[in-house]
Amino acid sequence: MLDINLVREKPEEIKEGLRKVGADPGLIDRVLELDRKWRGKVAESEELKAEKGRQSKRARGKHEHVHVHLRTMGQAIKRLDADAAALREELDDLMLQIPNVPHPDAPVGADESENVLVRSEGKKPEFDFKPKPHWELGEALGILDFGRGVKMSGSRFYVLMREGARLQRALIAWMLDLHVTRHGYTEVYPPFVVSEKCLIGTGNLPKFADNLYHDVEDDLWLIPTAEVPLTNLHREEILPADELPKHYVAYTPCFRR
């Protein structure tokens, strides 16, 4: 979620960033209006609380009508606080709908056909025959079974068999070992289900709610990537600067539609 202070200080820059990613820049005007109303209610409540405090000190031994007035002020404060809380909830919900602003150097394009090639690595192989696609090779070698994957779980599922399953396991181990031994990362084996806060903090909710799997009974969400639990390891913590940066690596299943 964007910092509300950034939205207050640089609304036009944020709007321009939203235009680049195809988002509605009018969201910023709505945010600023809600923010103005919320801050107004908070200020009014704080002012009334201060005045009530001053009058309470002078009300000792006074007539009943003075205490009635103080109770009336207390009720007004409750209404203001309730209004402020409702505005704040609406503001936070709206802020969660605003995407991150792209980097100034990111090229702008209508679709993927306008992507800019930054660099290419290696040389594309050339063959004196027509290469077969992986789905034909995999089934011919008996290491990839689409039919049984579909039978068990539906379209787009498959089963890795024999060397195919071993290759999958070897690649996972190689990836983890490379990052741990060569790059000094800390390996993590995180939970595969997380709370709603974790998905909000990583930008998956509310935008991608339809693409996630939710266990309603326990109110837990299956993770869509290992990024979600890893970036939440230190959620709501303050880390000493001398401990940064932290490098983590994990392998997890990724559950998304």
Side-chain angles (χ1 to χ4, degrees), residues 146 149-158 257:
F146 288 101
V150 171
K151 179 176 68 174
M152 290 189 291
S153 306
S155 62
R156 300 183 66 185
F157 287 89
Y158 57 88
R257 296 184 65 209

Side-chain angles (χ1 to χ4, degrees), residues 48 52 67-83:
L48 197 55
K52 183 174 180 289
H67 296 281
V68 170
H69 176 63
L70 289 173
R71 286 195 293 272
T72 301
M73 291 179 69
Q75 292 169 353
I77 290 169
K78 286 183 179 180
R79 287 194 297 271
L80 286 169
D81 287 345
D83 290 344

Side-chain angles (χ1 to χ4, degrees), residues 97-161:
Q97 299 176 35
I98 299 175
N100 286 329
V101 178
H103 191 278
D105 294 340
V108 181
D111 53 43
E112 62 183 18
S113 66
E114 298 185 45
N115 287 347
V116 176
L117 177 64
V118 177
R119 70 177 185 273
S120 59
E121 299 286 347
K123 184 180 179 182
K124 292 183 179 180
E126 296 180 0
F127 304 97
D128 56 3
F129 59 89
K130 184 179 179 181
K132 290 184 178 181
H134 72 275
W135 54 88
E136 290 184 11
L137 284 172
E139 291 201 322
L141 293 171
I143 64 174
L144 188 56
D145 193 326
F146 288 101
R148 289 183 173 87
V150 171
K151 179 176 68 174
M152 290 189 291
S153 306
S155 62
R156 300 183 66 185
F157 287 89
Y158 57 88
V159 178
L160 292 172
M161 305 286 289

Side-chain angles (χ1 to χ4, degrees), residues 169-236:
R169 176 162 49 86
L171 286 172
I172 293 167
W174 173 78
M175 180 276 292
L176 292 170
D177 290 343
L178 175 72
H179 283 80
V180 171
T181 60
R182 186 176 299 180
H183 303 304
Y185 281 35
T186 299
E187 183 177 351
V188 178
Y189 187 82
F192 300 159
V193 293
V194 294
S195 67
E196 182 181 64
K197 284 184 178 180
C198 293
L199 287 158
I200 291 175
T202 50
N204 288 274
L205 287 176
K207 184 176 181 180
F208 299 114
D210 291 342
N211 200 37
L212 302 172
Y213 290 100
H214 183 206
D215 175 9
V216 178
E217 185 174 350
D218 292 322
D219 195 20
L220 291 171
W221 298 74
L222 276 68
I223 60 171
T225 70
E227 168 196 2
V228 172
L230 289 187
T231 53
N232 276 279
L233 280 174
H234 299 291
R235 179 170 56 88
E236 298 176 358

